């Protein structure tokens, strides 16, 4: 099975569907993205890009609200906070690394810092 994401004109993922291998293959049985995308377009309209369930290509498996960046040929998750930046693997990074002391933390955007989560008693 192949997975395809519908993207709007701004590259935002609207939905992700599963397509049978036979609907992505040429006459020799070789799977090709453009065939699968054309199949999706013929059924549902829109613009489609293949996504990898295992993240083998395009960095991330597409999800609703993700953005397809054509220059990076990658699906990028929504930015969690305005101060976070995108790294080379298309993952969002906080401006300060999260402590690695084994405690649970949440990001405080106003303070630009990690705050320890309350411990359950």
């Amino acid at each position: 099975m192949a997975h395809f994401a519908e993207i709007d004109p701004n590259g935002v993922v609207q939905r992700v569907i599963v397509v049978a291998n036979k609907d992505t293959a040429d006459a020799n049985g070789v799977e090709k993205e453009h065939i699968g995308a054309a199949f999706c377009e013929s059924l549902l309209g829109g613009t489609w890009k293949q996504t990898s369930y295992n993240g083998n290509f395009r960095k991330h498996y597409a999800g609703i609200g993700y953005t397809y960046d054509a220059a990076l040929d990658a699906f990028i998750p929504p930015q969690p906070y305005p101060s976070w930046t995108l790294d080379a693997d298309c993952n969002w990074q906080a401006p300060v690394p999260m402590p690695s002391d084994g405690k649970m933390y949440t990001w405080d955007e106003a303070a630009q810092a990690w705050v320890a989560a309350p411990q359950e008693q």
Side-chain angles (χ1 to χ4, degrees):
M1 301 309 257
H3 299 83
F4 283 81
E6 181 183 19
I7 57 173
D8 72 10
N10 296 315
V12 178
V13 176
Q14 302 300 301
R15 58 182 158 173
V16 180
I17 63 171
V18 179
V19 177
N21 291 342
K22 69 178 182 63
D23 295 318
T24 66
D26 64 15
N28 297 318
V30 177
E31 292 182 37
K32 298 190 177 186
E33 178 180 12
H34 73 276
I35 295 173
F39 174 78
C40 295
E41 290 170 22
S42 71
L43 286 178
L44 304 167
T47 301
W48 296 83
K49 291 286 182 186
Q50 190 169 5
T51 185
S52 170
Y53 186 76
N54 297 319
N56 293 335
F57 57 91
R58 296 201 168 119
K59 304 288 186 185
H60 298 279
Y61 180 71
I64 294 172
Y66 281 45
T67 301
Y68 174 70
D69 184 307
L72 298 172
D73 192 27
F75 287 106
I76 300 172
Q79 185 176 16
Y81 298 97
S83 65
W84 289 31
T85 57
L86 202 60
D87 67 16
D89 291 321
C90 295
N91 294 309
W92 293 105
Q93 299 298 324
V96 177
M98 185 171 67
S100 58
D101 57 10
K103 295 179 185 176
M104 298 290 293
Y105 289 88
T106 58
W107 179 251
D108 182 333
E109 182 69 7
Q112 294 286 292
W114 292 99
V115 177
Q119 300 289 325
E120 289 188 25
Q121 302 292 330

